[in-house]
Amino acid sequence: MNEATRTPAIEVHDLTVAYGTTPVLWDIDVRIPDGKMVAIVGPNGAGKSTLLKVIVGLLEPMSGWVQIYGAPFDQRRAWVAYVPQRETVDWDFPTDALDVVLMGLYGQIGWFRRPRRHHRERALECLERVGIRHLAHRQISQLSGGQQQRVFLARALAQDARLYLLDEPLAGVDAATEQVILQILRELRDQGRTIVVVHHDLQTVADYFDYVVLLNLRLVAAGPVEEVFTATNLQRTYGGRLTPLAYASEALLRQRQGSQVAPVLAEQKTEYGRQTDQ
């Protein structure tokens, strides 16, 4: 079975979401293929986090639907691991890193049962995998931002999911943590899992991901990075906000030396320079 005929990991159809009377996503239709590293990219307020929340049932759309491997989320809940933005979590909650990771095993443990020894061993293995087993009994409020992000990734690993949804997991982390997270996500992808990441750093999209979804209230484009992550599509996504395009230029130029993308980006960087000098 080729990729075009395989059941997509995520299918979104005619999706519209609003906060009050303000639309956040409008008429979104997109299919995300199985077994890929996928970036969701767009400016602040584009609806990227909202899309993840709708996929995992945290928000109800005004219209449209989402399917995960051909079925609603309620039928695929055990297949999905979700890592929210670190800023949305109450890190003052009195619990340690091991207990947070054990939350990823509640589907196996049961909500009103105590974890058994093999559950704790599994959680410790996940902490080991992200390089912080020695912090298992440290209160989460005492951890650095990068360590907290590793704890949440360990919790997702404990779920042994087929689909991983991560909302800006690389934002504000140190370089070592970024490389640990990337290595684990690539290993999961190589095992056939699907990884969907809300990502903010345009410079690294071409290096880190196979597939990209460009979003700004509406879907701008979606497809393999080498086909979709172009200067034209970035301009359509960010409009007159040229700063992200300037940041992205090095990655694009590196990926497409000698193509028509180079002069377009060079012209945009020059124009951005004129604007900032005024």
Side-chain angles (χ1 to χ4, degrees):
M1 183 183 295
N2 62 39
E3 187 171 300
T5 59
R6 290 170 61 184
T7 300
I10 301 170
E11 184 170 7
V12 177
H13 177 67
D14 193 28
L15 186 74
T16 295
V17 182
Y19 295 140
T21 59
T22 303
V24 183
L25 293 171
W26 190 263
D27 286 341
I28 303 295
D29 283 281
V30 66
R31 290 163 59 97
I32 293 178
D34 191 19
K36 302 291 184 183
M37 279 268 285
V38 182
I40 300 179
V41 172
N44 291 337
K48 304 182 297 295
S49 297
T50 297
L51 180 58
L52 291 196
K53 290 176 181 177
V54 173
I55 292 170
V56 298
L58 294 177
L59 289 175
E60 286 290 330
M62 289 181 62
S63 66
W65 50 261
V66 176
Q67 289 191 340
I68 297 171
Y69 294 105
F73 173 72
D74 285 347
Q75 298 178 28
R76 296 287 189 251
R77 189 180 300 270
W79 296 21
V80 181
Y82 170 59
V83 178
Q85 286 187 26
R86 188 165 52 85
E87 290 76 10
T88 65
V89 177
D90 179 10
W91 294 105
D92 291 325
F93 189 78
T95 189
D96 62 24
L98 180 60
D99 284 338
V100 172
V101 179
L102 283 168
M103 293 176 188
L105 292 168
Y106 280 173
Q108 301 175 31
I109 299 169
W111 286 97
F112 302 105
R113 297 180 180 177
R114 294 180 63 84
R116 302 181 69 176
R117 181 176 179 178
H118 68 276
H119 295 129
R120 292 184 176 277
E121 289 175 350
R122 168 65 179 158
L124 288 169
E125 288 171 3
C126 293
L127 285 169
E128 177 74 30
R129 190 170 177 186
V130 300
I132 56 170
R133 180 174 178 143
H134 61 291
L135 300 175
H137 300 293
R138 184 78 60 86
Q139 290 287 306
I140 56 171
S141 62
Q142 299 174 359
L143 300 177
S144 69
Q147 290 166 346
Q148 290 171 345
Q149 195 66 64
R150 293 191 196 208
V151 170
F152 259 37
L153 179 56
R155 186 184 71 168
L157 291 174
Q159 293 179 245
D160 194 26
R162 183 171 174 183
L163 170 64
Y164 290 82
L165 305 172
L166 303 97
D167 196 347
E168 297 204 28
L170 305 179
V173 302
D174 57 90
T177 296
E178 179 166 324
Q179 291 308 308
V180 167
I181 292 173
L182 280 172
Q183 181 61 32
I184 290 171
L185 296 182
R186 286 167 174 159
E187 289 172 0
L188 291 169
R189 185 268 317 275
D190 293 345
Q191 294 166 8
R193 319 296 175 92
T194 302
I195 316 299
V196 180
V197 176
V198 172
H199 192 61
H200 67 285
D201 182 6
L202 296 181
Q203 282 185 304
T204 57
V205 170
D207 293 330
Y208 290 177
F209 297 96
D210 312 311
Y211 199 92
V212 64
V213 175
L214 294 169
L215 192 66
N216 190 352
L217 183 65
R218 295 177 180 270
L219 178 70
V220 176
V225 168
E226 64 273 14
E227 298 175 10
V228 168
F229 195 65
T230 64
T232 299
N233 283 336
L234 285 170
Q235 183 68 53
R236 290 171 59 204
T237 303
Y238 288 89
R241 307 175 193 186
L242 294 179
T243 304
L245 295 177
Y247 289 161
S249 62
E250 289 183 358
L252 283 166
L253 290 169
R254 187 169 63 251
Q255 290 290 109
R256 301 173 177 85
Q257 286 292 338
S259 74
Q260 63 180 355
V261 173
V264 171
L265 282 170
E267 180 180 347
Q268 290 170 343
K269 289 185 74 175
T270 301
E271 177 61 25
Y272 178 67
R274 293 195 194 102
Q275 293 176 4
T276 56
D277 289 339
Q278 293 175 354

